[in-house]
Amino acid sequence: MAQGKVTVNNLNLAQGEFPKIERKALFIGQGEENLNTLITLNSQTNLDEVLGAEQSEIKTQVQAAQLNAGENWQAYAMAKGSEYEWEDVVDEALQTVSVEFIVLCTPAQNATAVNAMYAKAESLRTGQARRVIILTATQGIGEQAWGAYITEQANIVEGVAGYRVAVVPQLHGNNLGALAGRLCNRSLSIADSPMRVASGPVLGLGTRPVDSAGVPLNNSMLAALDAARLSCPQEYADYPGIFWGDCNLLDAPGGDYQVIEHLRPVDKAARAIRLLAIYRVGNRSLNSTPVSIEANKTYFARPLREMSKSTVVAGEHFPGDIKQPKDDAVTIVWPTPTRVEVYLKVQPYNAPKQIEANIILDLNGS
């Protein structure tokens, strides 16, 4: 004889939302108020209250970021005194928060300092699975000629191969903050270049700098700095406003991640896929049978599908972060009975950065 039994289990299929780390930044620099305190910032934060009424290294950059970041901006700041080790500040802050960008407001002086930034970013990736991009300032022009300044700036990144670092000369005094805010603006996709003119001009840049001979900054100097892999604003003749060029990353020549809009979507996908992979550890639903492999291709492709969603409004196409994944976007290989390798392909959209228009004169008369 037997008695009837019913068991009901709640099965977790890992279908929930992924944490939204993108567009969050941590600012580190010298300040006047709330030193050694992790400060939460948003679009409504009164910076005079939290960072002091007087201008400081960190407040100047946060102010520019807040102005350029638009609605629903969220960031963090850690103001320090005159002497501090930024690596220690990062470790302390990341015990509490997760961010996409670390913004170092104290100017980097040489290639050794920039290499240390890449080493720190890689140690966070390999040791804590945290994928961060470091944006760092360099000094603006002082009592120098433009030629000497550009050479000095180029030397700071000379020989550096660090695809998680972008270097921003403080030409107007607050360029670093302006770029950080633009990258965090929700009107732009993370797959958009900060060069995108349709996103509007850069707001609140400081006074146009001049060199020791009184020569003002112009596009030829900005182009020279950009060619040296520094990230700078730019202007268009007879077109009002100041815009931005590429946010150059210090990847090696020929590398996939020489501009920031290539790295950000890959990082976003990697964060989500890591969580899905953790959920599959020890789970026999991922096995080497053809049925399981096909099912898990769909499972691991989920972040790519979500990132590829596009919208058409009034005939205008707003693409997703990446193209729709194809059938070969996910490959699963079993090297051993207990080790599985998953390969994923992320395909960005093309975006024009050089546009050539050719005009002909039609004299046919018809």
Side-chain angles (χ1 to χ4, degrees), residues 59-72:
K59 183 185 176 185
T60 297
Q61 305 314 314
V62 170
Q63 217 166 29
Q66 186 185 57
L67 185 61
N68 284 276
E71 295 180 311
N72 299 315

Side-chain angles (χ1 to χ4, degrees), residues 35-151:
L35 300 184
N36 309 316
T37 301
L38 184 64
I39 303 166
T40 300
L41 306 166
N42 62 28
S43 305
Q44 290 78 42
T45 301
N46 186 325
L47 300 182
D48 289 343
E49 292 180 359
V50 298
L51 293 174
E54 301 298 323
Q55 288 300 116
S56 63
E57 180 181 81
I58 191 170
K59 183 185 176 185
T60 297
Q61 305 314 314
V62 170
Q63 217 166 29
Q66 186 185 57
L67 185 61
N68 284 276
E71 295 180 311
N72 299 315
W73 174 62
Q74 184 179 1
Y76 308 93
M78 185 80 91
K80 306 297 289 186
S82 58
E83 299 292 334
Y84 69 94
E85 297 293 334
W86 67 267
E87 294 94 336
D88 295 338
V89 181
V90 168
D91 290 338
E92 180 183 351
L94 294 188
Q95 292 179 19
T96 306
V97 299
S98 294
V99 296
E100 182 183 16
F101 298 111
I102 295 171
V103 185
L104 302 180
C105 302
T106 301
Q109 301 296 325
N110 50 48
T112 300
V114 177
N115 274 315
M117 295 170 192
Y118 177 58
K120 182 62 176 178
E122 279 295 274
S123 71
L124 291 171
R125 184 183 67 83
T126 58
Q128 302 179 30
R130 292 176 182 261
R131 293 171 176 266
V132 300
I133 299 171
I134 296 181
L135 310 177
T136 185
T138 58
Q139 291 284 3
I141 191 167
E143 297 299 319
Q144 297 170 281
W146 282 116
Y149 175 75
I150 292 169
T151 300

